[in-house]
Amino acid sequence: MVGWIQTPDECWEKAFTGIDDKHRSILTNSLGNLLPLSMSINSSLQNSCFKDKKKELRNSMGEKIREGYNNGSHSEIEVSSSYKEWTPETIKLRGLKLLTFMEVRWSFEFENEVKKNELLFLHDLP
């Protein structure tokens, strides 16, 4: 698949059912799907399902192997607490939320919601 760099797990396949390769690539690289993470955290989370990324991971002895989004940066905590599932619609909503944040933070306005969707390349999302 073009642009779908990671190998999607079953949960990802379910969430993205009906999304063609073009839109998967766009969603993968869309602002709403991006979350600043250290390389070590990003590597340890890899293709885990979103519900699993949200919480810490422990080994069979109960030792913490890695933190989850719920114990991470402000962005990780916001994503963990704000979204139950990670779907194309969630990615679109988060992208729009981030664009609105930018408008408020830097005191400018996008022309309208249509332009925001076009900027995210998600205006024709099935």
Side-chain angles (χ1 to χ4, degrees), residues 18-112:
I19 304 295
D20 60 33
D21 289 351
K22 172 189 168 194
H23 287 95
R24 282 186 184 214
S25 178
I26 291 168
L27 285 162
T28 299
N29 299 296
S30 180
L31 176 65
N33 194 45
L34 302 178
L35 188 60
L37 300 170
S38 71
M39 286 185 88
S40 62
I41 292 174
N42 195 35
S43 294
S44 70
L45 295 173
Q46 297 230 337
N47 298 326
S48 300
C49 293
F50 180 66
K51 67 178 178 59
D52 296 328
K53 289 181 177 185
K54 290 169 56 168
K55 59 187 178 191
E56 63 188 27
L57 179 64
R58 296 185 175 269
N59 64 19
S60 59
M61 298 178 59
E63 301 165 326
K64 189 186 305 184
I65 297 172
R66 66 154 169 81
E67 296 288 350
Y69 289 168
N70 61 347
N71 292 324
S73 68
H74 291 291
S75 294
E76 290 173 88
I77 293 168
E78 187 269 331
V79 164
S80 175
S81 63
S82 297
Y83 304 102
K84 184 176 179 179
E85 296 178 341
W86 204 249
T87 64
E89 186 62 25
T90 305
I91 292 169
K92 183 176 180 177
L93 291 172
R94 182 165 182 265
L96 292 169
K97 182 177 181 178
L98 289 170
L99 292 177
T100 299
F101 167 80
M102 289 180 209
E103 288 178 312
V104 172
R105 173 65 177 90
W106 290 291
S107 302
F108 72 93
E109 288 184 24
F110 291 100
E111 189 175 333
N112 54 42

Side-chain angles (χ1 to χ4, degrees), residues 4-10 12-13 46-47:
W4 192 265
I5 297 168
Q6 296 179 328
T7 305
D9 200 337
E10 184 179 314
W12 296 108
E13 283 294 335
Q46 297 230 337
N47 298 326

